[in-house]
Amino acid sequence: MEQVWAVEESPGIKTTSCTTDRKEGGDNAPASKHSPDVVLLQELIQPYTRFMKKRLADDYTFIEGGKEGYFVGMMLKKSRITLLDSEMVEFPSSRQGRNLLVAQVVFRGQKLCLMTSHFESCKANAENRKLQLRLVMKRMTKAPDDVTVLFGGDTNLRDAEVVDVGLPGCVCDVWEQLGEPEQCRYTWDTFANTNLDHRHKSRFRFDRLYLRRAAGDGVPWLQPDSMALIGLEKLRCGLYTSDHWGVYCTFSAL
């Protein structure tokens, strides 16, 4: 059994997805105890991207989903993940410049398609979010049978919006697959996270991971092992790394 993560290191693949605060200044930079294979990021800005590259470029391949304003990105551990190709897919109806970043990679001989995005923000933009979810699901289901597809990002989705769209039978919500662990239910929690002064407090599972396993003969079956929230400790400046919690997930290839 090969272990695989999406955000930490080991004899498998690790993955993490998190939204960073668009805040400049070195004192806001976190120190991490993790060494993930794959990091999926949202709301990056150029100063923070340069900060990370300066410290991590020897170990990680960086892919950026934009250059202006804030944008999504990926970090792939060079010693374990081989990047084959990447592309940006624009969301035609987005009013906030949102897109989908897609990377074709190989992990120990296994083909993976990695995706990240930052869906349309704010309650009023539900219809745009549902269109963006449909586009992501279409891309996931149309991938070749011998490719495992993993999407992780800040979806801003409410549960009712996902019900309206519906997930294809071949795609699973990793949190649900793991038995809906209560400690990972809320990735946006303004009761606990005090970075932003919200008058009305709320809790949502905005940050989600979706998995479409490969179905080809002899292709390893990717199985979620665990999920945890990260970024729960305040930095020296008194803020959290983000106004979202990060999601750390590990997988096994069976």
Side-chain angles (χ1 to χ4, degrees), residues 182-199:
E182 186 62 29
Q183 70 273 19
C184 299
R185 181 178 294 273
Y186 303 116
T187 67
W188 167 266
D189 184 350
T190 60
F191 289 90
N193 192 310
T194 55
N195 273 18
L196 300 176
D197 184 18
H198 289 278
R199 182 178 177 183

Side-chain angles (χ1 to χ4, degrees), residues 169-225:
C170 61
V171 175
C172 75
D173 181 316
V174 173
W175 179 75
E176 294 178 354
Q177 189 78 7
L178 288 168
E180 302 184 359
E182 186 62 29
Q183 70 273 19
C184 299
R185 181 178 294 273
Y186 303 116
T187 67
W188 167 266
D189 184 350
T190 60
F191 289 90
N193 192 310
T194 55
N195 273 18
L196 300 176
D197 184 18
H198 289 278
R199 182 178 177 183
H200 301 290
K201 305 297 183 182
S202 60
R203 293 187 178 109
F204 291 102
R205 189 164 64 92
F206 283 161
D207 305 270
R208 302 184 181 220
L209 287 165
Y210 292 120
L211 173 67
R212 196 221 69 173
R213 297 177 177 90
D217 293 338
V219 179
W221 184 261
L222 203 65
Q223 179 67 27
D225 282 338

Side-chain angles (χ1 to χ4, degrees), residues 3-5 15 174 178 181 184 209 223-228 247-252:
Q3 279 231 307
V4 184
W5 292 249
T15 286
V174 173
L178 288 168
C184 299
L209 287 165
Q223 179 67 27
D225 282 338
S226 67
M227 178 180 286
V247 179
Y248 173 81
C249 195
T250 67
F251 300 83
S252 291

Side-chain angles (χ1 to χ4, degrees), residues 44-77:
L44 286 170
I45 58 173
Q46 286 297 339
Y48 198 76
T49 303
R50 290 193 296 268
F51 172 87
M52 291 193 297
K53 285 181 178 178
K54 185 176 179 180
R55 290 155 178 79
L56 299 171
D58 289 344
D59 297 321
Y60 285 91
T61 299
F62 285 77
I63 311 171
E64 297 170 43
K67 295 293 182 183
E68 303 296 329
Y70 61 93
F71 46 88
V72 298
M74 295 187 192
M75 294 165 52
L76 310 174
K77 178 157 280 193

